[in-house]
Amino acid sequence: MSETLQPTTGEPPAAGPGASAPQDQLPAHLSGLPVVACDLDRTLIYSAKALYLDGPDHAAPRLVVSEMHEGLPLSYMTRAAEDLLRELLDHAFLVPVTTRTRAQFRRVQLPRTRYAITTNGGVLLHRGEPDGAWAARVHDAVRRWSAPLEEVVARLSTKPSPGVQRVRTAEELFAYAIVERAELPEGYVAGLTAWCRERGWVVSLQGRKLYCVPASVTKEAAVAEVMERVGASSLVAAGDSLLDQGLLEMADVALRPCHGELEAAGYTRSGLRVTETPGVRAGEEIVRAALDAARAHSLARRGKVGLSRG
């Protein structure tokens, strides 16, 4: 749906692709490749506290550092996942998709990709540079369909719960609070969710971060824009939070780990693939499944070409 269309359900339109979205000029060998859109934290990369390596140390997989912060390692993936990720680049457009800000995303060490999406879809990076036209469309949609950011920040900051430690904003688009989950009163998140919904915002609790995001700022809208630009007709998507649910709904192949917000909510859909293991091993499972799906797409595409030539 174009953002210029009026909503028919009372919900705000996503800041999705418009008719004038530019086609990327791609080399011939990249034409027709699927897009693999992958969330980062607790889907592809993991902090030390989220590794879920409960067995004996000698049985742990080999890890590589995926993120440094202030000179210290912060996030990891398995060495096998890193190898699979590099192989995936030969079969698909890998698009990292994250609620992190641009500054936070820059700390993550991944293979260079043509596109990346940060700020929950609010920022579209092309070869590392933000797309100004996309940002303008997102901000316009937020102004039209959501209460001002300042109102949400005030709600989080005024008489906060003891579990809310500090409130921050991300690139003038959304707010998030650092929380101690055990200290949040019963019903606090549900009450905030209802309050935000009335104002065109959505809430997601991920680890120690409680996000409040305008309903029109979505990962799936930004991924749809990328697909249009590269001419992709197939999508493999992976994520673990409620902010990833729309992305998984639009995917041809949907993947999620057996931990996280979607797991707690019991989220499922037809054809959804859930990892057998939690934590950093789940990240490896997800990359392997994405690679298998991309290879299958390539084989099917070559088969169709062969039939048409025959």
Side-chain angles (χ1 to χ4, degrees), residues 121-142:
V123 175
L124 176 61
L125 301 175
H126 181 223
R127 299 188 183 279
E129 295 299 322
D131 186 295
W134 175 255
R137 284 158 58 186
V138 169
H139 281 272
D140 181 64
V142 171

Side-chain angles (χ1 to χ4, degrees), residues 27-310:
H29 71 280
L30 296 180
S31 177
L33 291 183
V35 164
V36 173
C38 191
D39 174 52
L40 293 184
D41 294 282
R42 296 177 181 244
T43 298
L44 184 61
I45 63 174
Y46 293 80
S47 68
K49 292 183 179 180
L51 292 175
Y52 283 92
L53 296 178
D54 299 329
D57 291 342
H58 70 269
R62 298 181 68 186
L63 302 179
V64 295
V65 176
S66 301
E67 178 185 11
M68 297 288 293
H69 182 48
E70 296 180 349
L72 296 173
L74 189 60
S75 298
Y76 307 83
M77 68 173 64
T78 69
R79 186 174 297 278
E82 183 182 58
D83 293 341
L84 291 166
L85 201 62
R86 294 187 184 282
E87 188 174 354
L88 179 62
L89 297 178
D90 294 330
H91 301 276
F93 290 103
L94 174 63
V95 182
V97 185
T98 180
T99 308
R100 288 173 175 239
T101 64
R102 278 179 288 169
Q104 293 166 339
F105 173 68
R106 278 197 297 267
R107 301 197 304 250
V108 181
Q109 300 174 19
L110 294 174
R112 181 176 298 179
T113 58
R114 201 175 191 91
Y115 288 97
I117 294 163
T118 74
T119 326
N120 204 62
V123 175
L124 176 61
L125 301 175
H126 181 223
R127 299 188 183 279
E129 295 299 322
D131 186 295
W134 175 255
R137 284 158 58 186
V138 169
H139 281 272
D140 181 64
V142 171
R143 284 192 297 269
R144 287 170 178 264
W145 303 107
S146 297
L149 172 63
E150 294 77 14
E151 185 175 339
V152 177
V153 171
R155 172 65 170 76
L156 286 171
S157 304
T158 303
K159 295 182 180 179
S161 156
V164 178
Q165 296 188 335
R166 53 190 180 275
V167 178
R168 296 173 175 171
T169 60
E171 305 198 42
E172 300 181 356
L173 270 179
F174 63 81
Y176 64 97
I178 309 300
V179 302
E180 287 293 344
R181 297 175 69 133
E183 296 181 16
L184 291 175
E186 183 177 356
Y188 176 83
V189 176
L192 179 64
T193 299
W195 185 91
C196 283
R197 185 185 301 116
E198 293 175 354
R199 291 159 177 80
W201 289 66
V202 297
V203 172
S204 175
L205 179 59
Q206 305 176 37
R208 295 188 60 219
K209 289 185 178 179
L210 179 63
Y211 291 95
C212 298
V213 182
S216 53
V217 180
T218 68
K219 294 179 178 182
E220 59 268 25
V223 168
E225 174 77 2
V226 171
M227 292 182 68
E228 185 169 344
R229 292 188 183 197
V230 302
S233 59
S234 181
L235 172 65
V236 180
D240 72 304
S241 81
L242 290 176
L243 295 176
D244 298 310
Q245 182 172 335
L247 183 58
L248 298 185
E249 290 290 334
M250 70 179 279
D252 300 285
V253 177
L255 310 166
R256 73 163 175 84
C258 63
H259 62 251
E261 199 176 20
L262 291 177
E263 172 72 10
Y267 169 74
T268 188
R269 52 149 279 193
S270 176
L272 176 69
R273 304 181 190 180
V274 181
T275 64
E276 295 182 358
T277 54
V280 72
R281 287 190 175 96
E284 182 178 325
E285 283 190 57
I286 284 169
V287 180
R288 192 180 303 277
L291 177 57
D292 289 344
R295 283 172 170 163
H297 181 274
S298 297
L299 287 173
R301 183 164 60 100
R302 284 201 296 267
K304 288 179 181 179
V305 170
L307 287 173
S308 64
R309 289 177 178 172

